[in-house]
Amino acid sequence: MKLAFDKDDFLKNYWQKKPCLIRQGFADFTDPVSPEILAGLAMEEGADSRVIESQADTESGWLVTHGPFEEYEQFGESHWTLLVQSVNEWLPDVGELITPFRFLPDWRIDDVMVSFSCENGGVGPHLDQYDVFIIQGAGSRHWRVGERQSMRECQPAADLCQVEGEFKAVIDEHLKAGDVLYIPASCPHDGVALEPSLNYSVGFRAPSKAELLLQLGDIAMQQESLQERYQDPEIGSDDTSWEIEEKQLAALKGFLKEALESDETDRLLARIVSQSKRPLPEPELPTTAAQVPDLLAQPNAFIEKASGARFLKLSKTEFYGNGEAFRVIPEALPTAEWLAQLQGSKSASELSKRVNLTAQAELVAEMINQGIIYLYIEES
């Protein structure tokens, strides 16, 4: 599956700058999931799902109901939307929608949310705090999208944020199957289904400074090298005790800047951005390096990266996955890079060609044990 557009032009003129519509970005688009399968998934205990009604019997007319669901008849035949988060972690075919967007950094990818809307279904005008590509599947939807502008947010129902008033739209179009809409973080948008419709939202993390600092602070508390205590600059006996002086502020900021610019902070950030959104399923029994060659040699064996897993390169010898560091010696570097680029299923024989040394087998075993990759046998 390829996205038909000029990536360089997009990155230069649109990415994180302004919204754009890519007509027939995916020609002859085929839905990787049906409304029935999505509805069934929303009945599962572990699925993060909700239904948003826009003509509910409430003061605002809006109502959010969280899954798991037992049935859907109570919602009627119009004015509601079913949304299921992280469908890529449940259905590999949906995960394949991420592949065309891997010209962007892997660590930015969040998940693929899938929505099914009845006629006139929607979630109202709102802002998202992440960058998103919305792929139109079956059906059609009317979208209005604006550039960043001053908007006041409101909450017409529990767990539902919208924006008040009208916004100036730069895109006001009907989307059909295969059309792709890109919306940067904090741009107001509103989509209403013109008929029963499926939509796929490929979301990209856009963390705030506060969020990153909070995550960094949590993980930094575990690092001995960052336990150095602040020391005052030179203090005079005539300094005013109740005044925060400029030299004191400069010392505090310099103290933090020194920490942020350290190699240790590079490693901590790599651990943070390599962390999966949800815990990865680990094997019941650990795999050893000695077992790896035989496992890869099995007939009809395939290797795949777990949905939601990230395996990222920081330096020539440092890779990170599932929030953990992997030290890679030069002999195992080609194996690590092959695994980092892995998308979808590949024959285990392809990996087997890259596993001839103990260090390479140890890397594969560790990644299997961490749940980052897994091996399966395809029934003939």
Side-chain angles (χ1 to χ4, degrees):
M1 177 181 286
K2 290 187 177 181
L3 181 59
F5 80 137
D6 187 330
K7 297 181 179 67
D8 292 328
D9 176 69
F10 172 80
L11 291 171
K12 179 180 178 180
N13 297 307
Y14 295 98
W15 176 242
Q16 296 196 308
K17 297 181 181 72
K18 57 184 179 180
C20 72
L21 174 59
I22 307 166
R23 285 290 188 191
Q24 289 303 287
F26 295 110
D28 303 317
F29 182 78
T30 301
D31 287 286
V33 64
S34 67
E36 293 78 15
I37 294 295
L38 186 69
L41 177 57
M43 294 178 173
E44 296 290 337
E45 189 66 38
D48 182 357
S49 62
R50 63 195 189 279
V51 166
I52 299 177
E53 298 176 77
S54 57
Q55 280 196 351
D57 185 19
T58 63
E59 183 177 348
S60 67
W62 293 91
L63 181 65
V64 178
T65 305
H66 289 273
F69 298 97
E70 294 183 359
E71 49 90 23
Y72 299 90
E73 291 182 3
Q74 74 269 27
F75 301 120
E77 296 183 358
S78 67
H79 293 89
W80 62 271
T81 295
L82 168 67
L83 303 103
V84 185
Q85 296 287 153
S86 302
V87 178
N88 55 299
E89 297 183 12
W90 293 81
L91 304 174
D93 287 348
V94 173
E96 287 296 315
L97 294 177
I98 292 173
T99 303
F101 301 100
R102 289 191 76 193
F103 63 93
L104 296 164
D106 277 356
W107 73 264
R108 291 288 312 281
I109 296 168
D110 192 34
D111 71 352
V112 182
M113 182 186 74
V114 183
S115 66
F116 169 76
S117 297
C118 292
E119 185 178 354
N120 292 313
V123 302
H126 65 285
L127 308 173
D128 289 325
Q129 301 308 320
Y130 51 84
D131 303 292
V132 64
F133 293 88
I134 300 177
I135 305 166
Q136 179 66 47
S140 61
R141 186 183 288 261
H142 176 210
W143 280 99
R144 296 183 68 252
V145 186
E147 294 187 349
R148 294 186 181 98
Q149 53 198 273
S150 178
M151 303 288 303
R152 177 179 294 180
E153 291 191 273
C154 61
Q155 194 169 16
D159 301 321
L160 180 63
C161 287
Q162 295 181 349
V163 292
E164 293 181 345
E166 289 293 319
F167 61 83
K168 182 179 179 181
V170 293
I171 294 175
D172 191 342
E173 300 283 353
H174 292 179
L175 269 64
K176 296 185 178 180
D179 290 339
V180 180
L181 184 61
Y182 166 66
I183 306 173
S186 302
C187 287
H189 53 284
D190 184 20
V192 179
L194 302 173
E195 57 184 321
S197 298
L198 281 166
N199 284 88
Y200 307 86
S201 300
V202 183
F204 287 76
R205 301 170 172 178
S208 67
K209 293 177 182 177
E211 290 167 339
L212 277 177
L213 285 171
L214 181 62
Q215 290 178 290
L216 189 58
D218 284 343
I219 197 170
M221 289 297 293
Q222 306 165 24
Q223 306 304 308
E224 186 176 345
S225 61
L226 294 174
Q227 300 308 312
E228 178 187 352
R229 295 288 175 175
Y230 166 80
Q231 290 187 321
D232 286 312
E234 184 176 340
I235 296 177
S237 60
D238 58 347
D239 288 351
T240 305
S241 64
W242 41 263
E243 182 179 351
I244 304 173
E245 297 188 358
E246 186 176 331
K247 64 181 179 181
Q248 295 168 351
L249 283 175
L252 281 169
K253 289 191 286 188
F255 184 64
L256 290 174
K257 185 178 180 181
E258 181 183 340
L260 288 172
E261 292 182 345
S262 70
D263 291 343
E264 185 62 35
T265 299
D266 292 350
R267 299 184 186 98
L268 295 184
L269 287 171
R271 287 179 59 186
I272 289 169
V273 301
S274 73
Q275 183 65 58
S276 301
K277 189 174 183 179
R278 290 177 175 78
L280 298 177
E282 297 179 10
E284 293 183 7
L285 296 174
T287 298
T288 66
Q291 294 172 315
V292 167
D294 288 340
L295 288 173
L296 298 180
Q298 295 178 93
N300 298 321
F302 289 83
I303 197 84
E304 190 165 323
K305 192 180 296 178
S307 295
R310 298 171 176 85
F311 191 59
L312 309 171
K313 183 179 180 180
L314 179 64
S315 70
K316 189 170 183 178
T317 60
E318 291 178 291
F319 285 72
Y320 288 80
N322 199 24
E324 300 292 337
F326 289 73
R327 305 298 176 188
V328 179
I329 65 172
E331 291 81 2
L333 181 60
T335 308
E337 291 181 339
W338 188 88
L339 289 165
Q341 296 174 45
L342 179 64
Q343 183 70 33
S345 296
K346 297 290 183 182
S347 171
S349 62
E350 292 190 40
L351 178 57
S352 181
K353 299 172 188 176
R354 297 167 172 82
V355 180
N356 303 308
L357 303 172
T358 300
Q360 297 164 343
E362 287 174 344
L363 173 65
V364 173
E366 187 178 359
M367 290 185 66
I368 292 174
N369 293 333
Q370 286 279 352
I372 298 171
I373 59 173
Y374 63 93
L375 190 81
Y376 69 94
I377 306 298
E378 190 173 85
E379 299 293 336
S380 56

